[in-house]
Amino acid sequence: SGNYVLDNDLDFTGVAFASPFTASFSGYFDGQNHTISNVTFSSITTYTGIFGYVSSGIIKDLNIENVTIGTEAAPLNMITSARVGILAGYVSSSTASIENVSITNSQINYTSSSTVQTYTGAVAGEFRGSILGLTVDNVSMNVTSTSYGKVKIGGAVGLLNEDGRLKEANVNVDIHFTLAGAALKNRDVQVNVGGVIGDHN
């Protein structure tokens, strides 16, 4: 819940990365237009992202470059529900704010066998706050579902809830989704995929 100011670029090359915020982030983070780069995730968790789980936090003036959450050759695996984003997995509060953030040259590759939900976006898997001034460029997402859980994939946000707001966004993504479930008989399958927003509730 503290106030953070980034005074220089952060390069995570060769560093095992785990989100430093083990509880929901409700603080203030000013990137001062610096760059966090070369972040590699080794696993998918319930809330996957640099900030993991954000509640009422404010994140502004930040560049994120070359983040790898699995690769096409070696996608990560998740067996339970997950919200996956490069910035954050889940942003849960309508008072949260993302302003002037760019996400470039990054990738998300994973397989889910969740019977409940899989939400994926460059900013966040699920988002309830406001986004103003967003650039997403040269980002690829490859998601495979082997079950009947709800799937929502968006170039910026997988699920934008009714309180969520998204303004002034430039989104350039390459999205691939594969439904490979073998036990789908008599099951309702809900899949929402969008270049900017997967599903706006």
Side-chain angles (χ1 to χ4, degrees), residues 14-81:
V15 177
F17 182 86
S19 175
F21 304 105
T22 55
S24 65
F25 178 67
S26 60
Y28 176 87
F29 188 98
D30 183 355
Q32 294 197 119
N33 294 312
H34 289 295
T35 301
I36 294 175
S37 63
N38 302 316
V39 174
T40 299
F41 287 80
S42 60
S43 64
I44 298 285
T45 60
T46 303
Y47 308 119
T48 300
I50 290 174
F51 285 82
Y53 175 16
V54 176
S55 53
S56 57
I58 296 172
I59 302 166
K60 61 177 290 189
D61 299 334
L62 177 64
N63 303 310
I64 298 171
E65 183 173 8
N66 194 28
V67 174
T68 300
I69 303 175
T71 64
E72 286 191 60
L76 300 176
N77 293 293
M78 185 61 173
I79 61 173
T80 60
S81 296

Side-chain angles (χ1 to χ4, degrees), residues 48-191:
T48 300
I50 290 174
F51 285 82
Y53 175 16
V54 176
S55 53
S56 57
I58 296 172
I59 302 166
K60 61 177 290 189
D61 299 334
L62 177 64
N63 303 310
I64 298 171
E65 183 173 8
N66 194 28
V67 174
T68 300
I69 303 175
T71 64
E72 286 191 60
L76 300 176
N77 293 293
M78 185 61 173
I79 61 173
T80 60
S81 296
R83 295 171 173 89
V84 180
I86 292 168
L87 181 69
Y90 183 31
V91 179
S92 66
S93 173
S94 62
T95 62
S97 175
I98 307 298
E99 185 174 343
N100 297 325
V101 168
S102 72
I103 300 171
T104 58
N105 304 324
S106 298
Q107 59 181 313
I108 299 173
N109 302 274
Y110 73 103
T111 297
S112 171
S113 57
S114 171
T115 59
V116 182
Q117 62 194 26
T118 298
Y119 301 161
T120 308
V123 175
E126 182 174 352
F127 194 90
R128 295 175 180 267
S130 65
I131 300 172
L132 174 63
L134 171 68
T135 299
V136 178
D137 189 36
N138 193 31
V139 171
S140 65
M141 301 179 194
N142 292 277
V143 180
T144 297
S145 174
T146 62
S147 187
Y148 49 83
K150 294 179 181 179
V151 175
K152 302 180 188 297
I153 305 171
V157 176
L159 172 61
L160 183 67
N161 279 280
E162 59 185 347
D163 292 333
R165 295 169 300 281
L166 174 58
K167 297 177 66 175
E168 299 177 14
N170 188 337
V171 181
N172 177 21
V173 298
D174 188 9
I175 298 173
H176 294 263
F177 171 68
T178 302
L179 182 61
L184 301 178
K185 185 176 180 180
N186 297 328
R187 295 283 188 177
D188 290 329
V189 176
Q190 182 177 329
V191 177

